[in-house]
Amino acid sequence: MKFIGPVDKAPSNRRYIAFAGGLLALMALLAALDRLGVPETLIRFVIFAGPLIAFIVVGLAYGTVSPIGYLVGDRNVPAGLNGLAIGASLVGGAAFIGLADALRLWGAAGFLILASLAGGLYLAGFVFAPYLRRAEALTLPDYFGRKFESGFVRHLGALVLIGALLPLFLAEVEIAGWLIAAFFGLSLKASVLGVIVALLLMVLPGGMRSLTWNQAVQAVTLGVAFALPIFYFWVIGSDGLSFAGSVSDAGIAVEHLPPELQGMLSSLSSIELGALTVTVLLGTACLPHVLGRSLVVASPGGARRSFAWGLFFVAVFFAVAIAYSRQIHWQPVAGEPLSWGKAAGGLPPVLSGFLWIGAFAAVLSTAAGTLVALGGTLAHDVYSHAIDRMTPASRKVFAARLAVIMLCLLAGRFVIFPVAQVPNLAAMSFSLAASGFFPVLVLSIWTRGISWVAALAGMIAGIAGSLGYFAGIEYLGMSEIMGISPLASAVFGVPAGFLASFLVHTGEWAHKFSRRTRPPKPATNSV
Amino acid sequence: MARTIRIGFNPRTAWRTRTRLLTLIAVALLLVAGIGPLASVVTRGPIEAAGFVVDDVRAALLCLGVLVLLSVRLCRTFENIDRLIADEPDESPFAVPGRGDVES
């Protein structure tokens, strides 16, 4: 295994099977030690630390100095493993911790949101992913820059990406900080510092390359951790306290789900719910850190297959979450802090500790995914296309690393000294991504002749429609239109984007047509 | 297939057109798959169809299952088309490809 520099071949996926086997062996060993009277605290610590060390080792082992490796993981990721990484990117900490509870609270509407998430992945896989890969882009804004040969579109794309992903990154770091603080009994400051160090060790050496193989390991960990408790309860023939009693503590779920989404979906009208569903569907299809995974495979067909595999893993995860939601009988106490005893929730210490590392892996995978997407965009689209256009390749990697470090410091600052409602802003990510990217992606891939001006107009109008509605409701005291939540503002932004692009395109076409049919000028006649 | 090609017929363009049509069909099927949970939510209760009761949970699981099956099937079809257009090598899902394309 090379520690630095590009690799000729992607790492074998047998290592992941070996990793899953190793995890199960470690659990069996610790379960045996538990029977022999080894203290529970030690067992939980070992089961938590084992996979965490594996994440860090993978991050360090796949370091690279090549821009292709750092930004798109050498483009040699197998579709199945990329699917695992896509699943891990989408699931995230909030879903791992709160989905079972949320489904119970939301009722039928929650299942509609699940279907929208899966549908968004399906849409991304068949409508966007292969064509993005075919464009040979390094980042999503890079695709716009190459397609339209315009710096304006590239930079606006970078701005939308940062606006959509930064709150998501901050929210995930905050959840990770809460988890570590609850697990080890540390202060939030110390926990966030630990999370940042872990993130840097996992991502800094290899960027997308480290991230890809790490996300696959994290997907295995979170998948096994999520599925094992229900299997355990089924084997022992008791529904116990279910998942809610073990890790899906409502203290965290209520803390981190945006207030607009807490237990109120069932009271929404069909129009309000439809708006939210459409936003989640289109937003998932355009989430840059998920869509960016289409750029790391070897071929356009591989990108499509990656999303099909990702959809399969996500569907299995959702099915298990639905099973948990039907089992939960435990009534959580909102706002009550997590404690060691509650976290155990009727599970043996090995399983309980494994659940915690599963939750932590879910948070880390999304946090690292958003971090790499942000760092790549800042280095490639902002630094090397706006600040230093003659930058050599090695400096681009350095810029990406610097951006990753700065983002981590920023996250630490914002989580410890919060200045805004990060969960609310994170929930806006879907709307912003959908409004800024969906019209331009569809028009650039599925129509011909859209100019950079039309694309720019579509992007600006989409962002203005979405953010305007959000700001109007949240800050200017505007009343909601047909009760549509500001978090579902993509239903205004996306049509606005399409309309603006269409109008500009029509204007350009009319201008061209008029020039063709216009009689030649006298000067031309004389010539 | 070569014998059936007429003068002026470009098979590559024809396959591209089929790719577009197939993508449209994929999107249409996505909407169809979404109808189950949507109907269940709109009616705010279980729906009975041909003696089979579809409640919200079943509708969601049905939707997820249909989407996964559709995506697997469509992937195979797209792969065949891709191979016809660009002679892409056949890959098993977890095959480890060699080094990817090198950027210029």
Side-chain angles (χ1 to χ4, degrees):
Chain A
M1 184 191 300
K2 282 184 183 178
F3 277 77
I4 297 278
V7 281
D8 294 332
K9 282 188 78 177
S12 162
N13 46 57
R14 281 183 194 165
R15 293 179 191 182
Y16 294 92
I17 299 167
F19 174 72
L23 272 183
L24 294 174
L26 180 66
M27 290 179 69
L29 176 71
L30 290 173
L33 289 175
D34 183 34
R35 288 281 175 93
L36 292 174
V38 174
E40 283 187 11
T41 314
L42 183 65
I43 287 173
R44 284 204 185 95
F45 179 78
V46 172
I47 197 70
F48 190 92
L52 185 60
I53 290 169
F55 302 159
I56 291 171
V57 168
V58 169
L60 294 174
Y62 291 106
T64 183
V65 290
S66 135
I68 298 297
Y70 207 90
L71 297 176
V72 286
D74 291 320
R75 293 206 204 276
N76 63 359
V77 181
L81 289 182
N82 197 32
L84 271 178
I86 288 170
S89 292
L90 189 67
V91 166
F96 190 98
I97 295 165
L99 190 60
D101 275 338
L103 286 178
R104 186 175 61 95
L105 293 168
W106 291 343
F111 300 124
L112 193 59
I113 299 293
L114 284 194
S116 309
L117 284 166
L121 217 50
Y122 174 92
L123 205 60
F126 286 104
V127 180
F128 300 143
Y131 309 98
L132 290 181
R133 176 62 190 88
R134 195 168 282 160
E136 302 276 331
L138 294 173
T139 61
L140 192 55
D142 189 38
Y143 163 76
F144 294 125
R146 285 175 187 227
K147 178 80 185 176
F148 297 110
E149 294 177 348
S150 159
F152 287 117
V153 184
R154 177 191 294 273
H155 297 139
L156 191 61
L159 207 62
V160 176
L161 185 144
I162 293 166
L165 288 193
L166 192 59
L168 210 56
F169 172 60
L170 297 179
E172 292 293 338
V173 171
E174 190 178 348
I175 297 174
W178 271 92
L179 273 175
I180 292 286
F183 191 81
F184 290 106
L186 296 171
S187 68
L188 186 62
K189 272 185 193 175
S191 310
V192 168
L193 189 67
V195 169
I196 286 172
V197 169
L199 271 177
L200 286 176
L201 287 172
M202 284 191 308
V203 161
L204 200 61
M208 183 61 89
R209 196 162 158 243
S210 294
L211 170 77
T212 300
W213 309 115
N214 238 321
Q215 278 187 328
V217 175
Q218 286 158 357
V220 171
T221 310
L222 78 90
V224 175
F226 199 64
L228 270 183
I230 202 163
F231 182 69
Y232 172 79
F233 289 128
W234 178 65
V235 167
I236 65 167
S238 153
D239 60 356
L241 287 174
S242 183
F243 195 66
S246 29
V247 79
S248 180
D249 189 289
I252 278 194
V254 172
E255 187 76 34
H256 293 286
L257 284 174
E260 285 80 357
L261 297 180
Q262 285 170 22
M264 51 157 283
L265 281 186
S266 49
S267 64
L268 295 180
S269 72
S270 297
I271 291 177
E272 295 157 18
L273 191 58
L276 204 59
T277 309
V278 169
T279 299
V280 173
L281 180 81
L282 302 184
T284 308
C286 296
L287 274 182
H289 68 296
V290 176
L291 211 47
R293 298 228 59 87
S294 62
L295 307 173
V296 306
V297 285
S299 65
R304 198 181 284 121
R305 283 194 298 278
S306 300
F307 276 81
W309 278 101
L311 181 60
F312 171 71
F313 295 127
V314 165
V316 171
F317 181 86
F318 287 167
V320 176
I322 291 172
Y324 278 124
S325 75
R326 307 306 281 185
Q327 268 204 343
I328 293 171
H329 307 301
W330 173 65
Q331 193 58 41
V333 182
E336 193 176 305
L338 277 173
S339 66
W340 192 254
K342 274 177 66 186
L347 286 171
V350 176
L351 269 183
S352 163
F354 197 55
L355 266 178
W356 281 86
I357 188 64
F360 194 56
V363 181
L364 280 185
S365 64
T366 307
T370 48
L371 179 61
V372 168
L374 284 165
T377 293
L378 285 171
H380 182 67
D381 300 305
V382 178
Y383 178 72
S384 67
H385 277 90
I387 299 170
D388 181 7
R389 285 168 188 250
M390 301 296 285
T391 182
S394 59
R395 203 182 296 160
K396 199 187 282 184
V397 174
F398 175 74
R401 285 190 173 136
L402 196 64
V404 163
I405 294 172
M406 298 304 286
L407 285 164
C408 281
L409 294 177
L410 185 77
R413 164 74 179 74
F414 267 80
V415 173
I416 294 168
F417 306 105
V419 293
Q421 280 291 322
V422 173
N424 261 352
L425 294 177
M428 260 303 284
S429 296
F430 285 88
S431 266
L432 191 58
S435 309
F437 291 139
F438 191 78
V440 186
L441 275 173
V442 169
L443 293 175
S444 66
I445 291 172
W446 294 100
T447 62
R448 280 182 186 171
I450 287 288
S451 70
W452 71 270
V453 184
L456 196 68
M459 242 182 209
I460 292 173
I463 299 163
S466 176
L467 284 185
Y469 186 71
F470 178 78
I473 303 284
E474 290 287 322
Y475 304 113
L476 304 177
M478 222 172 81
S479 57
E480 293 177 348
I481 300 171
M482 290 187 287
I484 292 172
S485 157
L487 298 181
S489 58
V491 289
F492 300 108
V494 171
F498 274 117
L499 189 67
S501 280
F502 176 73
L503 286 177
V504 172
H505 183 62
T506 311
E508 283 176 340
W509 182 81
H511 181 62
K512 249 185 225 170
F513 188 74
S514 73
R515 278 178 66 187
R516 263 189 214 161
T517 53
R518 201 179 295 161
K521 288 176 184 172
T524 320
N525 275 341
S526 67
V527 169
Chain B
M1 198 179 98
R3 261 181 277 168
T4 62
I5 295 173
R6 290 168 296 165
I7 294 170
F9 175 79
N10 184 347
R12 191 170 287 241
T13 313
W15 282 118
R16 291 235 164 94
T17 310
R18 283 175 203 194
T19 306
R20 283 168 181 257
L21 274 175
L22 205 59
T23 308
L24 271 179
I25 292 168
V27 174
L29 289 173
L30 164 71
L31 298 177
V32 172
I35 285 174
L38 190 66
S40 167
V41 168
V42 170
T43 57
R44 308 271 178 192
I47 307 160
E48 194 174 342
F52 187 70
V53 179
V54 182
D55 61 356
D56 47 3
V57 176
R58 280 183 184 165
L61 290 174
L62 208 62
C63 171
L64 291 174
V66 167
L67 279 182
V68 170
L69 289 177
L70 273 179
S71 64
V72 171
R73 185 69 205 98
L74 284 170
C75 265
R76 292 302 307 171
T77 314
F78 274 114
E79 264 174 51
N80 291 334
I81 292 177
D82 282 350
R83 215 169 295 134
L84 281 167
I85 293 175
D87 295 330
E88 258 189 34
D90 193 10
E91 286 176 3
S92 67
F94 282 83
V96 177
R99 191 174 185 177
D101 300 343
V102 179
E103 297 287 321
S104 55

